[in-house]
Amino acid sequence: MALAFLNQSRSFDAARNAVRFVGHDGMFQVLFFIEVGALAKSDAALQRTEPSETRWLSSFDALRNSIQDVAHKAYSYRRRAFYTPTAADFR
């Protein structure tokens, strides 16, 4: 099966300083933690203001399609239980 993002939910994980979201490959869940640095790199407004959980989640929502594209690419190379895309993955 292919990776799908059936559930649009996401949450901020303060311990990892990342936004967490889930993909599915058949009955298997695949966790993704997008680092806030990757979000800040792609969102000029975040670079100029004090970041907050609400801003990180809003930024994630605005960038969801490109984030999911990067997640698909990472998953297609090697199938693991979780991934942590960084700013370097977004070119």
Side-chain angles (χ1 to χ4, degrees):
M1 296 204 79
L3 183 66
F5 298 98
L6 306 173
N7 184 343
Q8 296 296 307
S9 68
R10 75 288 184 268
S11 60
F12 183 71
D13 185 326
R16 289 182 182 259
N17 204 28
V19 175
R20 177 187 184 273
F21 63 105
V22 178
H24 294 87
D25 185 358
M27 63 182 209
F28 299 103
Q29 278 193 347
V30 182
L31 299 177
F32 292 89
F33 299 93
I34 180 81
E35 293 182 343
V36 296
L39 295 173
K41 177 182 176 185
S42 301
D43 189 334
L46 279 176
Q47 295 172 10
R48 294 188 307 268
T49 62
E50 184 65 32
S52 68
E53 179 176 339
T54 302
R55 288 192 176 121
W56 293 128
L57 294 176
S58 294
S59 179
F60 177 91
D61 292 340
L63 299 167
R64 185 181 298 269
N65 289 336
S66 63
I67 291 169
Q68 289 178 345
D69 288 345
V70 168
H72 275 285
K73 188 175 179 180
Y75 189 72
S76 70
Y77 288 135
R78 184 170 177 217
R79 296 180 186 223
R80 298 184 301 183
F82 75 92
Y83 297 84
T84 305
T86 64
D89 295 312
F90 294 87
R91 297 185 181 129

